[in-house]
Amino acid sequence: CSRDIAVLHCNKSTALYNLGKWTEAVFSAYQSLHWDPEYVKAYYRAGHSLIMLSDSYEAISMFHKGLILLNASADRTQVADFVAGIFISVNDEQVFPPTFPPAYDYIFSARFDALTWQAVIERLAQKGKWRSCLLLLSEKKALPANLRVNQLSLKNLFETSELYGHGEKMQEVAELVKWLISIGAKVETIGVYPLHAVMRLCIK
């Protein structure tokens, strides 16, 4: 009975999120967790609603708690959603909130397999969260050696100017592109004229 009520509140949270009513969506997700603290989907709904409210501190906490509940789940898709959620929460932050380091440590101590990390990186790329990909680049030695990202498109990376600051990040961007290509991203995904994309990037 408690799980049924939790599901109803979580569904309400999803509907409110889709209507852009993020404060109400968070409240409904919390109501869901009140009825069933182990209902993982409610942590996911709360996390994404909190991102929309720019509350990265609490968003990371929600994703982290949900990820711990999933633990060694065989559902790679769900695990990848939560890991990506943690990185998306800090993608636009200049200073990481205190909830981030423990979540970050947990992610890399959990030893997720290559397929899970593939899903994480492809989700981040799809959403244009390249700063989060730079974070992963700094930890590439901790990632599985057989990691491949065959479905990743580089087009958005060459069109995203907010990533680059005033030129000080350009070397990191170059390293990111090299790394992504080395693990399977196709040069062709930059666009029809890769050289033009590179020139536009340099001008930015």
Side-chain angles (χ1 to χ4, degrees), residues 28-124:
S28 291
Y30 285 164
Q31 287 286 94
S32 176
L33 292 170
H34 170 76
W35 284 98
D36 187 350
E38 295 192 359
Y39 187 48
V40 172
K41 285 185 180 178
Y43 288 99
Y44 181 79
R45 285 269 55 97
H48 276 289
S49 299
L50 288 159
I51 286 174
M52 300 309 293
L53 294 169
S54 301
D55 188 348
S56 58
Y57 179 97
E58 193 62 26
I60 293 164
S61 177
M62 289 291 107
F63 288 124
H64 189 187
K65 287 173 183 174
L67 194 56
I68 290 170
L69 277 175
L70 282 171
N71 199 3
S73 171
D75 188 345
R76 290 191 183 97
T77 300
Q78 211 171 12
V79 171
D81 284 340
F82 277 81
V83 174
I86 289 170
F87 283 106
I88 291 168
S89 299
V90 297
N91 189 76
D92 301 320
E93 298 292 333
Q94 297 300 320
V95 179
F96 294 149
T99 48
F100 182 65
Y104 191 75
D105 291 344
Y106 179 82
I107 287 169
F108 285 100
S109 66
R111 301 291 177 192
F112 299 125
D113 65 13
L115 288 174
T116 301
W117 278 112
Q118 175 186 345
V120 170
I121 295 171
E122 287 174 356
R123 278 167 176 69
L124 293 174

Side-chain angles (χ1 to χ4, degrees), residues 131-145:
R131 281 181 174 163
S132 296
C133 291
L134 282 173
L135 269 177
L136 290 177
L137 171 63
S138 68
E139 297 286 352
K140 66 179 181 180
K141 289 180 181 176
L143 297 173

